[in-house]
Amino acid sequence: MLAGLSPARRRLALALLVLVVVAAAVVIALVVPRSSGGADGTTATAQDDTPGPVLLVPGYGGSTSSLRPLADRLTAVGRDATVVAVPGDGTGDLTAAADALGAAVDDALERTGAGSVDVVGYSAGGVIARIWAADGGADQARRVLTLGSPHHGTTIADLAVGILPAKCPEGCRQLTTDSDLLAQLNAGDETPAGPSWVSVWTTADETVTPPDSARLAGAVELPVQDVCPDSRVGHGQLPADPLVQGIVLAELAAGPPVQLSTADCARLSAG
C-alpha cells in the first residue's frame, strides 16, 4: 500500500502509524489491570513464600500473657514466635514501645538468620507495629497483622481523658480519637510499602469503639464476622479464640494474604 505513495506521503503515513501504535500501548497500560498475586489485589513478592520469625506485640497494659495462647499455637505449627515485652507496663509512650519492638526484631533476625519477620500487634500493639513500620521497620517485615487495633482511636480513651485524666497516662492519651500521634500516623499512607498488611477485628468489640476504628486503608480487612457471622468474640478474647487464631495462622502462612469468607468458617474454627 505504501509503495504507491510519493516519498513525502510515505514518510507521513509511517509517522502516523507510529503514533497509532504508541497510543494503543498507552491505552492498554491504563485499561488492562496489572497481574497480582493476592486475592485482594496485593502483589506477590519473593519474601511472601519465606516466612520468618513472628513477633507478637501486646496492647495497652503490656500483658504478655494475653498473647501466650496465640504464640503457643504458632509454635505448634512450626513458627518461631516471640511475645515482645514493652516498656512502661504498656501504658507509656507508644513510640518507646515501637523502639522496643525494633530491638526485638533485630534480635530475632540475627538469631534466626531470616530475611524478614512477621509482626502481630494486638490492640494498641497494632499501633505500636505501625509506628515501628513507619520509622523504617517496613523494610524488615514480610507481613504486619493487627488484631483489634484502634488505628483511629477509641472513644473509651476519650472518655477517660474527659472524666479521669489522672488515670489516662501517655499511652492512653495517644489512643484518643483526636491524638496527635494517630493524626500523624494516618496523615500519609496508612500501610507503608514493604510488608503485606492485614487487619483482623470484631464487630462485637467494646474496647475499641467504634469497632471499625480498626480499619486500615490498604490492608486486607477481616472482621471476624465476615468469616463466621455468628461469632460474638470480644476484644479481650481475640488472641485466645480458636477461630481468630485460625485466621491469624492462615494470614501468616507462606504466600500473599488471602481474603477469607464464610466458606472458611468451619475449617478455621476447628482449632
Side-chain angles (χ1 to χ4, degrees):
M1 180 177 69
L2 296 178
L5 300 176
S6 67
R9 289 179 179 274
R10 190 181 304 125
R11 287 193 297 271
L12 178 60
L14 288 172
L16 290 173
L17 180 61
V18 170
L19 287 175
V20 169
V21 171
V22 171
V26 171
V27 170
I28 291 172
L30 292 175
V31 174
V32 177
R34 298 175 182 175
S35 61
S36 62
D40 68 323
T42 56
T43 302
T45 63
Q47 71 175 10
D48 280 328
D49 294 321
T50 54
V54 184
L55 283 298
L56 298 98
V57 189
Y60 185 79
S63 172
T64 57
S65 62
S66 64
L67 284 168
R68 181 48 53 194
L70 180 55
D72 290 344
R73 182 86 183 269
L74 286 161
T75 302
V77 297
R79 297 299 297 272
D80 183 301
T82 301
V83 181
V84 178
V86 294
D89 196 28
T91 64
D93 183 7
L94 299 183
T95 60
D99 291 339
L101 171 59
V105 168
D106 290 342
D107 289 344
L109 291 176
E110 182 177 359
R111 173 173 55 80
T112 63
S116 64
V117 298
D118 289 345
V119 175
V120 177
Y122 169 49
S123 193
V127 176
I128 293 168
R130 289 184 61 202
I131 297 169
W132 165 77
D135 196 32
D139 294 337
Q140 297 175 294
R142 180 191 78 112
R143 189 141 308 149
V144 178
L145 185 150
T146 65
L147 190 58
S149 296
H151 297 302
H152 303 277
T154 171
T155 58
I156 296 294
D158 294 348
L159 189 63
V161 168
I163 298 178
L164 293 171
K167 299 294 184 181
C168 188
E170 186 170 11
C172 170
R173 296 193 300 273
Q174 289 174 330
L175 296 175
T176 58
T177 57
D178 61 351
S179 82
D180 291 340
L181 183 143
L182 290 180
Q184 293 170 11
L185 201 56
N186 295 325
D189 187 355
E190 293 186 10
T191 50
S196 299
W197 293 80
V198 180
S199 177
V200 180
W201 50 284
T202 174
T203 59
D205 202 319
E206 294 182 347
T207 299
V208 174
T209 54
D212 64 1
S213 175
R215 291 190 179 277
L216 190 57
V220 173
E221 290 288 349
L222 274 175
V224 175
Q225 287 73 21
D226 279 7
V227 182
C228 292
D230 294 333
S231 174
R232 298 305 300 165
V233 61
H235 185 85
Q237 301 165 309
L238 284 168
D241 183 76
L243 167 62
V244 177
Q245 290 181 356
I247 292 172
V248 172
L249 264 63
E251 295 301 335
L252 295 187
V258 293
Q259 189 69 55
L260 301 168
S261 69
T262 54
D264 302 295
C265 178
R267 174 177 63 85
L268 296 175
S269 298

